[in-house]
Amino acid sequence: MNITYPSEPVHRTEYDDREDLSFVVIDAVAIASGSSHAEIGPLNDVLGPEALCDLFAPRTNGQGRSGGVISFHLDGYRVVIDAATREVRVYE
């Protein structure tokens, strides 16, 4: 299933399995907004950081996730995480 958005992301970054995905999300929103990490609202207010990391973690056999998308709002930005492209995209 392809999800389309009306505009180009204001920031896009790739991630890998060695990174804590919750930190990647906070970093991406900070870059998109020109704010410091401390100025970004807590991710806990939107979703559980551990659950987010578990959702996109490699399978029990060690293979990476080949699909799956989650979208949520953080600090007025739409954040889209796409397991197929290994990207975090931030939209205004």
Side-chain angles (χ1 to χ4, degrees):
M1 177 168 121
N2 285 338
I3 298 174
T4 58
Y5 295 93
S7 63
E8 287 295 312
V10 292
H11 182 71
R12 176 184 311 215
T13 189
E14 294 180 3
Y15 66 91
D16 64 43
D17 296 333
R18 296 178 306 245
E19 298 176 279
D20 183 323
L21 192 51
S22 62
F23 290 127
V24 175
V25 168
I26 296 297
D27 190 52
V29 173
I31 291 169
S33 66
S35 302
S36 73
H37 293 134
E39 295 174 300
I40 303 301
L43 189 56
N44 285 345
D45 288 352
V46 179
L47 52 87
E50 289 179 16
L52 176 65
C53 292
D54 289 346
L55 184 63
F56 288 91
R59 299 172 192 269
T60 55
N61 65 6
Q63 292 182 343
R65 302 284 175 183
S66 60
V69 175
I70 188 170
S71 175
F72 55 91
H73 287 89
L74 181 62
D75 269 19
Y77 290 87
R78 176 174 291 207
V79 177
V80 177
I81 303 170
D82 188 331
T85 61
R86 315 286 293 163
E87 286 184 329
V88 174
R89 296 184 303 269
V90 181
Y91 297 85
E92 288 189 316

